[in-house]
Amino acid sequence: MRIAILSCFYPFRGGIAQFNAALYTELGKSDIVQAFNFTRQYPNFLFPGKTQYVTPDDEAAPIDSTAVLDTANPFSWISAARKIREWNPDVLIMRYWMSYFAPSLGSVSRKMPKGCVRIGILDNVVPHEPHFFDAPLTRWYLKSLDGAVTLCDEVAQDLMALRKDI
């Protein structure tokens, strides 16, 4: 099976990138896996920390990835989808942790060919500090998925509140 993972990978830092590296490694033991990375995860003014990138102090697995998606540039959403489609995956896995990513990930997801199963790994469905736009954006993203994996019961309950059929 050919599995594409669209999310943040090295050189981006943090737990999500590390989780993705472990997922890539495990899935690669039995399937063909390709990591598709962000070219820009957040515009700098939206990033709450000092840097989005690994530092010498970080323990990060340097997963080989193809940088395709600038979350703030809609033109890149089209080209990212095209590059992933050209790789011809059977499954596309996307990490989702905040509504900011809904437009870019939902757009890419909707451009996958029929037969490509689209799965979301959902760290959060409802953010810790919700905004008026979170539910509509998240609902729109969720409608693009064939299935979802949640990482805790609370997130599963939030998912069921927005999309019961997944």
Side-chain angles (χ1 to χ4, degrees):
M1 183 178 315
R2 294 172 64 84
I3 302 172
I5 304 173
L6 174 59
S7 189
C8 60
F9 289 91
Y10 181 91
F12 292 102
R13 68 185 304 229
I16 292 174
Q18 292 172 0
F19 180 106
N20 291 337
L23 179 65
Y24 173 92
T25 301
E26 286 302 310
L27 291 175
K29 291 177 180 177
S30 60
D31 296 289
I32 302 166
V33 183
Q34 174 65 44
F36 290 93
N37 205 347
F38 295 117
T39 56
R40 177 171 56 168
Q41 184 172 266
Y42 303 99
N44 287 335
F45 74 91
L46 290 178
F47 187 72
K50 292 180 182 176
T51 180
Q52 299 177 56
Y53 301 99
V54 295
T55 63
D57 298 334
D58 293 325
E59 292 184 26
I63 298 297
D64 186 33
S65 65
T66 304
V68 296
L69 185 65
D70 179 338
T71 60
N73 180 351
F75 295 110
S76 83
W77 308 348
I78 296 165
S79 63
R82 184 176 52 248
K83 288 174 186 171
I84 295 168
R85 271 195 328 262
E86 287 170 357
W87 191 73
N88 196 27
D90 299 303
V91 177
L92 171 61
I93 298 171
M94 295 166 283
R95 285 299 288 274
Y96 184 85
W97 61 97
M98 62 187 307
S99 63
Y100 170 78
F101 295 99
S104 59
L105 294 176
S107 295
V108 170
S109 180
R110 283 174 167 75
K111 295 192 179 315
M112 290 299 103
K114 290 185 191 317
C116 177
V117 178
R118 299 154 305 165
I119 305 293
I121 297 178
L122 311 174
D123 294 83
N124 292 308
V125 171
V126 175
H128 306 295
E129 298 174 13
H131 304 89
F132 72 92
F133 51 80
D134 291 321
L137 286 174
T138 299
R139 191 175 288 115
W140 185 79
Y141 168 69
L142 293 172
K143 286 181 183 178
S144 78
L145 300 177
D146 298 306
V149 175
T150 60
L151 301 179
C152 70
D153 289 337
E154 184 179 348
V155 174
Q157 291 170 5
D158 292 342
L159 169 62
M160 292 299 125
L162 292 181
R163 185 171 171 199
K164 295 181 185 344
D165 67 327
I166 199 164

